[in-house]
Amino acid sequence: MKGFLRQDGRKGIRNITAVVYLVECAHHVAREIVFPFRDQQVHLIGFPGCYPNSYAYRMVRQLCTHPNVGAALLVSLGCEGFNRAALLEEIRASGRPADAIVIQQEGGTRKTIAEGHRWIRAALEQLAATPTTEMGVSDLIIGTVCGGSDATSGITANPAVGRAFDRLIAEGAGAIFEETGELIGCEAIMAARAARPELAPELLACVDKAARYYTALGHGSFAPGNAEGGLTTQEEKSMGAYCKSGNSPIDGILKPGDVPDRGGLYLLDVVPDGEVRWGFPNISDVQEIGELIACGSHITLFTTGRGSVVGSAISPVIKICANPETYRRLSDDMDINAGKILEGEATLEEVGNEIYAKILAVAAGAQTASEALGHQECSIVYKSFEPTGPACMPA
Amino acid sequence: MNTSSPQLLRLHEADNVLTVLSTLEPGDALHLGQTVLTVGKRLPIGHKVAARPIAAGEKICKYGVPIGSAVCAIAEGEHVHTHNIKSDYLPTFERENQHSYFQPTP
């Protein structure tokens, strides 16, 4: 397959122009800048808060310098706390064309939108000449998330993703699974899969952190629809979610924005460090997808039993439906029907291979269902993390 | 996958619950090994039934690991759900108890 070669050496599967609002007050203007170009790989991302936050800064920087992104336009109101000068400098240092428009300096909504359109037209011309390069499975990073889970998720779609993960990892790809709050109850069996002895206590510690965090909030990562779909407890949901990780050894723990520098299997720790602040770690599935992408995911595998329809800005989302009844209702939104396993029409291995083949097709340019439907969700919230510890990453 | 009957899935030999593979309606026959029971309440796809009688306080086992504890005695073939089992970690939130969850702290 062919990839887009960035000046920093990273290889992308899409050639996206990111338009970034740096505070909610600039959101409308940024959306209007994107609108006429929304079918030309121009994506809207941003952070709504006015108060600066180093996690949010890192998220936005990692998205703007993601291998799928070729250029970035920052849209600032002018008075918000986001450090736009530093961000602009870092994006430009990665070799990507980047600029910032400040609404207060540009002369308001209309003039900023017009200037944004002019900038995008020039950027699209520049991006059309992006060099391509040969890309293999070992160049890919694939993330996985489950959302709208039911009791079929953990017996069809999730273990099928696990099969695809094992195959990708054996071929040198990076694979990331996440949501430590949805691994509560699985910590011991997960720690037994640590690739290095010093990683095992770290795996236990990050699930313990998640349990403490959710206990303080008085609410686990468990939605009413999960129970309607047959799940009863956090542990049961966790075991189902855990199957997505497959059977390979666990090579490391990432925090949002950490990009693995080699292949292997990684757990993404999404629960903030320190005291409980700013509410739930991730307020919906959309933040989790964004964090997987900030860790370099070229594609995200999203499994659902109840039936989520979300996609994402920056990286394609492949939706794998676990429940055959849901698939019949929402088939337009789904890429893969893993529910057929329950109806005896395919085995886990066959669906795992189907997922693997879909990853290669999407990496080569095929649109996913959510891409074709125009889904470009992005949401970044306040969080705080300490730097990733040395025991968490391979030496 | 070790299927104990075409209706129900046993995910691990140590499990005391089985997963319903396609929605069962009231009056349908429920095949539990040699035993044949009649479905009382609707059992949607993915829900669980007891593979054998389970005592109050006993661990509920699925995928070969505990997923919670029985809060009362559960009969063979009975629906195993949020009304008769509880988490050993975090309480389960359902829409029905949403009101109490959002009640202001006195």
Side-chain angles (χ1 to χ4, degrees):
Chain A
M1 75 187 98
K2 291 277 186 210
F4 295 98
L5 181 62
R6 307 298 169 200
Q7 282 184 38
D8 56 10
R10 297 175 81 183
K11 298 174 184 177
I13 62 165
R14 295 290 184 270
N15 205 16
I16 289 162
T17 302
V19 176
V20 192
Y21 60 92
L22 299 182
V23 62
E24 185 60 24
C25 317
H27 191 159
H28 170 75
V29 170
R31 185 170 49 220
E32 288 294 313
I33 291 172
V34 169
F35 190 76
F37 306 100
R38 65 193 187 119
D39 296 326
Q40 296 173 66
Q41 296 202 67
V42 178
H43 289 190
L44 178 67
I45 63 171
F47 176 63
C50 187
Y51 303 92
N53 175 262
S54 54
Y55 157 83
Y57 178 88
R58 189 166 197 241
M59 282 292 296
V60 173
R61 184 195 65 202
Q62 296 302 72
L63 294 178
C64 288
T65 56
H66 188 280
N68 289 352
V69 172
L73 176 64
L74 312 181
V75 184
S76 161
L77 175 61
C79 44
E80 72 277 1
F82 206 104
N83 190 343
R84 68 169 182 271
L87 178 63
L88 190 57
E89 195 178 321
E90 289 202 74
I91 301 169
R92 283 177 173 163
S94 78
R96 288 165 177 80
D99 239 315
I101 318 183
V102 179
I103 297 170
Q104 290 166 352
Q105 292 169 11
E106 199 63 36
T109 300
R110 207 180 306 272
K111 287 178 181 160
T112 308
I113 293 169
E115 173 57 18
H117 289 165
R118 191 201 59 74
W119 194 91
I120 301 277
R121 277 190 289 273
L124 290 176
E125 251 174 65
Q126 239 180 309
L127 284 192
T130 306
T132 57
T133 183
E134 206 47 53
M135 204 173 163
V137 171
S138 64
D139 292 312
L140 290 173
I141 298 178
I142 307 296
T144 189
V145 62
C146 44
S149 296
D150 69 14
T152 65
S153 302
I155 49 181
T156 62
N158 292 351
V161 164
R163 300 293 202 280
F165 258 30
D166 286 338
R167 189 168 166 190
L168 289 163
I169 292 161
E171 294 179 25
I176 311 173
F177 69 112
E178 54 80 69
E179 186 38 320
T180 41
E182 289 170 1
L183 294 166
I184 294 168
C186 310
E187 55 275 7
I189 48 175
M190 186 165 69
R193 285 170 60 197
R196 302 174 306 284
E198 66 272 22
L199 184 62
E202 300 286 344
L203 288 164
L204 291 172
C206 71
V207 178
D208 186 52
K209 176 179 71 168
R212 277 187 282 111
Y213 211 92
Y214 280 104
T215 301
L217 292 164
H219 197 309
S221 175
F222 197 101
N226 297 146
E228 285 154 19
L231 295 172
T232 50
T233 62
Q234 183 68 63
E235 304 91 288
E236 183 180 15
K237 183 177 177 183
S238 294
M239 273 307 295
Y242 176 68
C243 300
K244 300 198 298 303
S245 66
N247 289 305
S248 308
I250 299 171
D251 293 295
I253 302 173
L254 310 173
K255 290 182 182 177
D258 293 342
V259 179
D261 65 354
R262 68 195 80 180
L265 178 63
Y266 299 88
L267 170 66
L268 172 57
D269 177 7
V270 304
V271 175
D273 294 316
E275 62 188 281
V276 176
R277 282 185 288 185
W278 302 312
F280 292 100
N282 278 331
I283 57 175
S284 75
D285 298 326
V286 175
Q287 285 84 30
E288 294 181 2
I289 296 172
E291 290 180 334
L292 287 165
I293 296 171
C295 291
S297 295
H298 293 88
I299 293 172
T300 303
L301 308 175
F302 188 127
T303 64
T304 182
R306 303 294 286 173
S308 176
V309 302
V310 305
S312 183
I314 312 301
S315 288
V317 172
I318 294 174
K319 287 225 293 299
I320 303 156
C321 190
N323 183 325
E325 296 176 3
T326 304
Y327 183 81
R328 282 189 277 274
R329 280 195 303 277
L330 275 78
S331 56
D332 286 354
D333 285 278
M334 301 300 162
D335 295 285
I336 300 218
N337 173 15
K340 63 191 170 195
I341 294 166
L342 290 184
E343 298 183 328
E345 290 165 20
T347 63
L348 273 176
E349 280 67 26
E350 285 165 352
V351 175
N353 289 334
E354 195 181 335
I355 294 168
Y356 176 89
K358 179 60 97 174
I359 291 167
L360 296 194
V362 169
Q367 275 198 320
T368 65
S370 54
E371 278 184 301
L373 291 164
H375 283 279
Q376 290 175 13
E377 285 83 349
C378 174
S379 169
I380 300 170
V381 295
Y382 282 97
K383 280 188 167 185
S384 49
F385 286 93
E386 289 158 17
T388 310
C392 293
M393 292 303 283
Chain B
M1 230 186 253
N2 173 16
T3 309
S4 53
S5 82
Q7 296 179 312
L8 300 171
L9 172 70
R10 180 188 289 277
L11 286 158
H12 191 278
E13 59 184 20
D15 290 357
N16 53 10
V17 291
L18 306 170
T19 298
V20 175
L21 283 176
S22 63
T23 301
L24 298 172
E25 301 295 341
D28 284 353
L30 182 70
H31 297 270
L32 274 168
Q34 302 301 313
T35 316
V36 183
L37 301 168
T38 304
V39 175
K41 209 181 68 175
R42 188 167 189 265
L43 291 171
I45 184 170
H47 283 240
K48 295 173 290 302
V49 296
R52 57 165 176 78
I54 299 171
E58 202 179 327
K59 295 283 184 203
I60 305 298
C61 206
K62 181 182 172 186
Y63 299 102
V65 301
I67 60 158
S69 302
V71 296
C72 55
I74 303 171
E76 181 180 25
E78 193 179 330
H79 188 200
V80 176
H81 198 49
T82 51
H83 63 293
N84 54 14
I85 85 169
K86 66 172 176 61
S87 170
D88 296 325
Y89 288 78
L90 287 159
T92 296
F93 162 67
E94 291 183 274
R95 280 199 194 92
E96 298 81 76
N97 59 32
Q98 191 160 352
H99 182 66
S100 63
Y101 174 74
F102 285 114
Q103 256 173 5
T105 332

